[in-house]
Amino acid sequence: MFHHRTSLRAILQSLALSATLGGAALANPYPQPLGPKGFHPFDERQAELGRLLFYDKILSGNRNISCGTCHHHDHASADGLPLGIGEGGHGVGPERVAAPGDNAIVKRVPRNSPAMFNLGHTSIKALFHDGRVSVSDLFGNEFNTPAEEWLPRGLDNVLAAQALFPMTAQAEMAGQPRENEVAGASNDRINYVWPILADRVRGVEGYRSGFVEAFEEVETPGDITIVHIADALSAFINAEWRSFDSPFDAYLEGDESALTAAQHRGKDLFFGQAGCAECHSGPLFSDQSFHALALPHYGPGRTRRFDPYARDVGRMAETDDLEDAYRFRTPMLRNVELTGPYGHNGAYATLEGIIRHHLDPQNSFDTWTPERVDLPEAPWLNAIDFVALSDSRERARIRAAVDITPRNLSDQDIDDLVAFLHGLTGTESVHGRLGRPETVPSRLPVDK
């Protein structure tokens, strides 16, 4: 291990000199520094429009939830829940509750709400836990998505494509078919939703003038389409949550004192013996690939149409390849301290918990109990919340799907890894750039 008072620049120079002299120099295990040059460009006016739309409930079927409800500034662009309460809930973050009654939710949001940090980076080619939105020309519209050939053409990037789909999901923003025309349209065919929402936006004066000013091709409000709305949302997310001002970033730039002694030990474990960097690699701390971890399943899951009960087969639902069963996308780790619970379904409340699961996935799966998650109360959902865990065959399939190698680490090692992950937390960037608006053009209430 390098002495902490030795400068990183001196170390790298020494390695380079050793290589020049024919010595056996070790490769630098650390990622390249992250910076603004790696991100998609954005238009400031479009980003401001996207900021308003992100917090405007006009994009939901019942006008009662926005993107910002589950990706809120106060909760580091996530919601702090293992599985969220989407359309039909009240409150924000861990305080959000499911309302009973005639319009009670019929299921929880199937997966954990991911944070938004650095999603505008050009290296990202697939989004969602299962990668179901990805860069591809399979359908002649630049992206492979659940909308297939019905996805509108002209979207700026994969982040803009991704922004379209929460609007179509019944549990997230659309609502139930009996409740509103958006949900009814989604039930008929996914792309029927977007013209309805675009028409809503065109009817609000603040948006009408804003889109004409922000998009050259929008000459009159009648030209506004869902593509412009998605591009504005993408511009906002891209511009708002760029984070590369953590202590570890300072370390990469040569300030070895930016990390504590425990964080240095955790760094060496992360990039060495613990094997974390085998998947959490590169400047974004993700290989952008999919891996099975034997995470215990609960909640409704993202079931396929023919699944007999609530379960989640992960990437396999997108590829129809048995090899992809129970595999999920490697999450990016910047600001991970702030964005628990962890796992694609929030099965672990703490960083220590998810690290220990990685060290011995099958034993961790066997000993996990439902008491480990704090789900928002919805008693009418109790019967299905943990149904998959009671099925011995499904348990066996999940347990057998493990892509990572068990490791032996001490309690001190785990503490040091947690300390290093805290060293990936940004400073000013964690608050966003423009912040949450106080009001939106539709005059619908903004979640605060």
Side-chain angles (χ1 to χ4, degrees), residues 149-172:
E149 69 269 23
W150 298 316
L151 186 79
R153 288 170 170 76
L155 294 160
D156 275 350
N157 49 54
V158 70
L159 182 54
Q162 181 273 335
L164 291 173
F165 290 94
M167 306 173 198
T168 70
Q170 292 179 4
E172 295 180 45

Side-chain angles (χ1 to χ4, degrees), residues 355-379:
I355 289 171
R356 287 187 182 277
H357 180 92
H358 278 69
L359 298 178
D360 191 354
Q362 292 179 327
N363 180 64
S364 187
F365 176 86
D366 292 340
T367 57
W368 189 91
T369 61
E371 291 74 27
R372 300 192 68 165
V373 294
D374 186 15
L375 292 168
E377 286 192 22

Side-chain angles (χ1 to χ4, degrees), residues 141-395:
N141 50 26
E142 300 186 58
F143 305 101
N144 181 5
T145 75
E148 298 179 346
E149 69 269 23
W150 298 316
L151 186 79
R153 288 170 170 76
L155 294 160
D156 275 350
N157 49 54
V158 70
L159 182 54
Q162 181 273 335
L164 291 173
F165 290 94
M167 306 173 198
T168 70
Q170 292 179 4
E172 295 180 45
M173 295 180 74
Q176 298 306 306
R178 69 181 186 276
E179 295 174 346
N180 63 75
E181 63 175 341
V182 170
S186 179
N187 196 53
D188 292 335
R189 200 170 83 184
I190 192 168
N191 65 314
Y192 290 171
V193 168
W194 298 317
I196 298 171
L197 296 177
D199 190 56
R200 283 187 187 179
V201 171
R202 283 193 294 266
V204 176
E205 177 52 40
Y207 289 130
R208 290 161 63 91
S209 57
F211 275 93
V212 169
E213 292 173 5
F215 289 87
E216 288 185 10
E217 67 273 21
V218 177
E219 297 180 356
T220 69
D223 297 330
I224 300 169
T225 71
I226 198 66
V227 170
H228 300 113
I229 292 168
D231 284 346
L233 288 167
S234 170
F236 168 68
I237 297 168
N238 174 14
E240 186 71 2
W241 284 297
R242 295 183 177 188
S243 187
F244 37 85
D245 58 350
S246 70
F248 182 68
D249 291 299
Y251 169 80
L252 289 180
E253 295 295 337
D255 182 4
E256 192 157 344
S257 66
L259 298 178
T260 67
Q263 288 170 341
H264 275 289
R265 293 194 300 270
K267 162 183 62 65
D268 294 338
L269 285 163
F270 187 97
F271 292 100
Q273 176 188 352
C276 309
E278 291 176 10
C279 298
H280 294 284
S281 56
L284 298 178
F285 287 87
S286 172
D287 61 3
Q288 311 296 328
S289 190
F290 303 86
H291 305 282
L293 308 181
L295 283 169
H297 174 72
Y298 63 93
R302 253 196 92 76
T303 53
R304 297 167 295 171
R305 286 189 298 273
F306 48 82
D307 272 331
Y309 52 75
R311 65 175 178 179
D312 198 329
V313 296
R315 180 68 172 160
M316 176 182 161
E318 167 63 19
T319 65
D320 286 326
D321 187 341
L322 280 170
E323 291 296 315
D324 288 332
Y326 310 106
R327 285 178 167 165
F328 294 88
R329 185 171 177 269
T330 304
M332 302 185 293
L333 295 184
R334 289 173 184 276
N335 301 312
V336 68
E337 171 194 1
L338 308 175
T339 57
Y342 305 103
H344 68 270
N345 57 7
Y348 290 94
T350 66
L351 286 171
E352 178 185 347
I354 192 67
I355 289 171
R356 287 187 182 277
H357 180 92
H358 278 69
L359 298 178
D360 191 354
Q362 292 179 327
N363 180 64
S364 187
F365 176 86
D366 292 340
T367 57
W368 189 91
T369 61
E371 291 74 27
R372 300 192 68 165
V373 294
D374 186 15
L375 292 168
E377 286 192 22
W380 59 95
L381 300 178
N382 289 349
I384 64 169
D385 275 338
F386 299 99
V387 66
L389 282 178
S390 66
D391 185 283
S392 59
R393 289 171 296 182
E394 182 68 2
R395 285 184 63 89

